[in-house]
Amino acid sequence: MANVNIHESWKAVLADEFKQPYFSMIKQSILKDKKAGKVIFPPGPLIFNAFDSTPFDQVKVVILGQDPYHGPGQAHGLCFSVQDGVPKPPSLENIFKELKEDLGIPVPVSGNLQRWAEQGVFLLNAGLTVVRHQANSHKSIGWHTFTDAVISKLSSQREGIVFLLWGGFAKKKASLIDGLKHHVLTSGHPSPLSANKGYWFGNKHFSKTNEILERAGQSPIQW
């Protein structure tokens, strides 16, 4: 995990977590996999891309994913996002379809959501790394403990954040969020399995998020 990039604001907030024994175990697990010749995604400098792109005090919206994409060139440290030139995965296609239906925004050519992150949309995966072609391969090495702490710190130290929890896994994280201080919107997951059953399309989370932000005197997200 050398050469990771993370904004100074997050370093301060998470200083205690980085000192915990479980975080040492995360680093040891990744190092062990690398020594065994396994390829880890995303690349080291991008593991904390969400934290580097969206400073702690600028988080306006949180979107929670589960696991980084495990195909070459896909994952770059922002949930649901892929790098420029990489085909959009089905869940991301459905996110863009709902965005078009909700706000009339044309489906973009690129699936890179970096522009969202730079506006205050914190694109957090519950697990921050994965072994190539092995979904959820790092779900048990300690990342979930770390990202639960991240959500808890946002809940306790900030106010007025819009949390978008899509699908059963994300909805379970609602228990970490103070609903009196923050806004929690839930729906089905944008994956085809859920979306095609009617649990995703029509949730209007993008317009609802902007309405909440504008009511609070904040600028809306340019989705």
Side-chain angles (χ1 to χ4, degrees), residues 57-69:
D57 57 354
Q58 294 178 28
V59 174
K60 297 159 75 172
V61 182
V62 175
I63 298 178
L64 184 67
Q66 187 166 356
D67 195 44
Y69 296 123

Side-chain angles (χ1 to χ4, degrees), residues 206-221:
F206 303 103
S207 60
K208 289 177 180 177
T209 294
N210 280 351
E211 288 168 8
I212 291 168
L213 293 175
E214 289 182 292
R215 281 203 305 269
Q218 299 191 69
S219 56
I221 305 299

Side-chain angles (χ1 to χ4, degrees), residues 20 28 36 43 45-46 55 60 67 100 104 106-107 127 130 149 158-160 165 172 186 192 201 207 215:
Q20 296 297 321
Q28 290 172 24
L46 294 175
K60 297 159 75 172
D67 195 44
K100 183 178 181 181
V107 174
V130 69
R158 293 287 315 282
E159 290 185 15
L165 307 183
K172 291 177 182 176
T186 63
F201 292 115
S207 60
R215 281 203 305 269

Side-chain angles (χ1 to χ4, degrees), residues 120-217:
V121 182
F122 187 50
L123 297 166
L124 178 67
N125 271 319
L128 298 189
T129 58
V130 69
V131 176
R132 179 174 59 182
H133 299 321
Q134 296 180 31
N136 281 316
S137 46
H138 280 175
K139 70 176 182 179
S140 301
I141 70 170
W143 279 130
H144 290 196
T145 301
F146 175 72
T147 52
D148 280 359
V150 169
I151 295 168
S152 295
K153 288 178 187 297
L154 282 168
S155 176
S156 63
Q157 298 181 33
R158 293 287 315 282
E159 290 185 15
I161 294 173
V162 183
F163 288 85
L164 304 182
L165 307 183
W166 299 338
F169 177 84
K171 289 176 185 177
K172 291 177 182 176
K173 304 298 182 179
S175 62
L176 302 171
I177 303 163
D178 185 342
L180 297 177
K181 292 174 61 182
H182 303 280
H183 309 272
V184 179
L185 303 181
T186 63
S187 82
H189 195 275
S191 68
L193 188 64
S194 174
N196 293 340
K197 291 181 179 178
Y199 301 137
W200 164 255
F201 292 115
N203 65 31
K204 298 189 180 299
H205 276 190
F206 303 103
S207 60
K208 289 177 180 177
T209 294
N210 280 351
E211 288 168 8
I212 291 168
L213 293 175
E214 289 182 292
R215 281 203 305 269

Side-chain angles (χ1 to χ4, degrees), residues 13 38 52-53 55 76 81 84-85 90 103 142 150 157-158 177 188 195 200 214 222-223:
V13 170
K38 297 179 181 178
D52 200 44
S53 300
H76 65 126
S81 180
D84 293 329
L103 290 170
V150 169
Q157 298 181 33
R158 293 287 315 282
I177 303 163
W200 164 255
E214 289 182 292
Q222 299 300 313
W223 301 104

Side-chain angles (χ1 to χ4, degrees), residues 6-15 51-52 54-59 157:
I6 180 169
H7 193 271
E8 291 298 326
S9 61
W10 281 107
K11 286 182 181 178
V13 170
L14 298 172
F51 299 82
D52 200 44
T54 314
F56 180 79
D57 57 354
Q58 294 178 28
V59 174
Q157 298 181 33

